[in-house]
Amino acid sequence: MNARPLVAGLVLTALVVASLGIGAAQIGPGAAAGNGWTALVLMESRLPRTLAVLLTGAALAVAGVVIQSLVRNRFVGPDTAGTGESAALGLLGITLLAPASPIWIKMIVASLAAMAGTALFLAIVRRLPVREVMLVPIAGLILSGIIGSVVTWIAWEADLLQFVGTWLMSGEFSGVIAGRYELLWIAGAAAVLAWFAADRFAILSLGDQVATGLGLSTRGVMRLGMVVVSVVSALVVTTVGMIPFVGLVVPNIVARILGDNLRASIPVVAAGGAGLLLACDLIGRIVRHPYEIPVGVILGIIGSVIFLWLLYRPVAHG
Amino acid sequence: MIRINGLSHHIGAAPILHDIDLTLPRGKLVALIGPNGAGKSTLLRLVARLEPVQQGRIEIDGLDLSTTPTERLALAMAVMGQQTHIASRLRVAELVGFGRWPHHHGRPRPADRAAVRQALAAFDLEPLAHRFLDEVSGGQAQRAHLAMTFAQGTDWLLLDEPLNNLDMAHSRTLMARLADLVRGSGRSVVTVVHEVNYAAAWADHIVAMKDGRIVAEGPPETVLTEPVLSALYDTPIEVSRHDDRPLVLHHHWHDQLGSPFPKAADAPSHLLH
């Protein structure tokens, strides 16, 4: 039991080292101290990319925990609640209306749009019967589909389909260099915020009655959770594009092993998300070396297999 | 004490409670009884601030429900609602631990840990402390919820049909424990009880409700009488006595069973062969 964190730490470290070493350009272990060119590759491309992957994976997985506790349903993630598509819609809107606006304005607009989309999702879900477990993910998928098709339609009309397709819809990290990923630190900060409020989310997932009985303002916690999920989704979509499955499968696997005491499990969820995404990114870099396969594609394959396993696994009852 | 003044409640167009004035005494085990749809649970949920008060005023130990912050109220009363099924995968000890949350808001002190251990012991949950809630039985999960409410350590405990899902042995143990809380540590318990005999045996004060109104209140001796109960449940009910307390014989009325126990004179002669 006590060896687990150590093993996990070693695996994550190995993945980080591999990520720093693997890419189209060959660099050796002495790169940091070496000549200008290898140091440049390391500091300008490999390190930022590795950090971006770690931050994205961790933040998305934590956002997954948060949205799952807000809707009290395990079969949703930030990518199946319409949040990513809403962020894309906001980004597309601001790109059309004010193309020259600075990137931070675009981020804010994308975040606000993501918040509106998440609020809409929560409003729909709260009206669904609690016992109908599968209605929640279905509602999320339908909402995502509708908003996604609006995005596609607007992009088609505005001749921005390629922009939407390459930038927003398929998440990948090959374009990450120093100076183009730093906003993801804010997503990381949002995940840390979620960890500070972990008890509140854990109590909220016990139901409104229990939460109220313990003196918790459910609205406040819902709002906080919405902000976390929206900020993470919006920043990830705008910096690297949509990344599927991380926010869905990682919280499920961790909950199966550690349970839902979020204060204890959120750090593990974050590490798991970072590790899974980094592993998938590495696979994408290796299989067609020196070309790359987008991490979203790799995750689509691996994530769906894991998800099917989660659905069909034997349920423990005592 | 809990003071309720002019409390009315509607769900949609349907009136649930009509202008209720009620004072619930401190340091007593109070049972709310009445037929289905009488408004017992609604009344309890309003007092527990699980639903907003539409009209009227509720005060608990001098704290006005409409103006007191909910986190302050969590130190005055602990609530257990009817629906205790939760999808959350917590360990029993972690759930009970959340009962202390109003006191420490995330930083448990030794006193909080001691209260959790005490609550686990009081509800026989020590062997289950490290089991996940979705891996124990419904009755065990119910006890874990009760232990959480107990761990909250408030003067008032409000329970909505806590005997649901509990078998006879656990129902009796729970009622004994509630009575003990009241008599031993001076706490006050208000509970909705479906089976009137648990109220008859354990309650100090009974409030009988029907159609959103209080129809009788007082000690068991005065409320659990044949005329009051027969009118309350719209069915003839006989009350006997057992251990010097009322025993309500509501399970059947004399002639409903036909003659399952034939008298000697009626016995058909061929059975005697």
Side-chain angles (χ1 to χ4, degrees), chain B residues 42-201:
Chain B
T42 304
L43 179 64
L44 191 90
R45 292 172 59 81
L46 287 171
V47 173
R49 51 115 169 58
L50 298 180
E51 273 168 50
V53 172
Q54 294 169 349
Q55 197 192 326
R57 206 177 118 87
I58 301 174
E59 211 178 72
I60 177 163
D61 288 344
L63 302 170
D64 188 334
L65 227 59
S66 59
T67 54
T68 310
T70 180
E71 56 265 37
R72 172 71 190 82
L73 290 171
L75 298 172
M77 59 179 170
V79 186
M80 195 183 84
Q82 246 182 59
Q83 197 210 340
T84 53
H85 170 85
I86 48 160
S88 202
R89 203 169 141 78
L90 282 176
R91 291 174 202 278
V92 168
E94 290 167 346
L95 180 78
V96 178
F98 278 130
R100 296 302 295 174
W101 199 79
H103 298 268
H104 61 64
H105 285 249
R107 289 194 192 81
R109 290 154 304 179
D112 297 311
R113 295 199 185 88
V116 172
R117 275 196 302 276
Q118 205 188 335
L120 286 170
F123 288 86
D124 298 329
L125 290 167
E126 282 153 324
L128 302 173
H130 295 287
R131 296 269 295 276
F132 284 115
L133 276 174
D134 55 358
E135 292 167 5
V136 300
S137 74
Q140 290 167 335
Q142 172 106 339
R143 266 154 59 209
H145 269 86
L146 281 162
M148 174 173 74
T149 315
F150 176 82
Q152 208 170 325
T154 52
D155 276 353
W156 287 89
L157 280 162
L158 309 179
L159 311 170
D160 196 357
E161 300 209 19
L163 303 181
N164 275 358
N165 303 323
L166 296 188
D167 59 29
M168 266 185 251
H170 281 113
S171 295
R172 185 200 290 178
T173 314
L174 173 63
M175 291 310 289
R177 205 163 277 141
L178 294 178
D180 201 44
L181 268 182
V182 169
R183 272 142 228 171
S185 42
R187 300 220 235 164
S188 316
V189 175
V190 182
T191 177
V192 176
V193 179
H194 221 73
E195 162 57 61
V196 284
N197 280 318
Y198 285 108

